Amino acid sequence: MKINILFIINKQKKNAKGVCALMCRLTHNKVRKTFSTGQFVNANNWDSKQQVVKPPEPDRKEINQQLSLIKTKINRAFLLLQVKDEAFTVDDIFSLYKGVKTAKEYNVIEYFERYLKRIKTLVGVEIKQVTYEKFEYVKNDIKAFVKWKFKTKDYPLKKLDMNFLSELDYYYKVGHKTQLKQVTINKKI
């Protein structure tokens, strides 16, 4: 995995002084995120190949230092996310660069598996092995449903809504390996 950081001049966005905004474009996994650096330069004084402001720009040293700082902060954010060894997006990199703490967003199957690990410790204490196995069956059903309906391995937990449940109900009636009675479907849901 790598990240590409490119500074580009936006000739369409000139301020009152007639200088153009310098933008930063992050690219990670072929997804782009463009944002303003807050720096403005004369378009003729921008060297896109070297990624620096060149003379005769009056504030070139300060602007170049600021661009270098932005690049360093982005690389640091990228490195921190890589160390966590969890999937992340270009938006996560940008958020961490801006100092916004991102909460882990779980997927349905992933969260279900975490839940199962927790209740497994309750077997023999509060629940029976048979009850735990029923939860395992439901997890496998949800996994099959997500693959059948969304053609993916998992589904974002934050997108879970009544439509998801009604589609799951439909799946149990027609897409499931065995046709279930409504009372069983209600228990599973």
Side-chain angles (χ1 to χ4, degrees), residues 59-136:
D59 298 329
R60 71 182 175 281
K61 285 184 183 178
E62 292 82 8
I63 294 171
N64 287 333
Q65 285 175 339
Q66 190 62 34
L67 296 179
S68 177
L69 182 62
I70 290 169
K71 194 169 187 173
T72 300
K73 283 183 173 182
I74 291 169
N75 280 321
R76 185 181 312 136
F78 179 64
L79 185 61
L80 285 170
L81 288 169
Q82 281 184 308
V83 168
K84 284 185 178 180
D85 201 30
E86 295 173 356
F88 59 90
T89 66
V90 73
D91 288 324
D92 295 328
I93 298 167
F94 177 72
S95 294
L96 192 56
Y97 155 73
K98 293 299 272 182
V100 177
K101 298 285 181 195
T102 54
K104 168 87 172 110
E105 291 185 6
Y106 291 98
N107 293 320
V108 174
I109 309 300
E110 176 186 21
Y111 199 80
F112 209 126
E113 287 170 347
R114 284 179 50 130
Y115 175 72
L116 286 176
K117 279 184 189 175
R118 187 171 173 192
I119 66 165
K120 188 169 188 142
T121 61
L122 298 175
V123 171
V125 177
E126 194 175 292
I127 63 170
K128 294 183 178 178
Q129 179 67 31
V130 172
T131 306
Y132 173 78
E133 288 169 2
K134 287 179 184 177
F135 282 109
E136 277 281 346

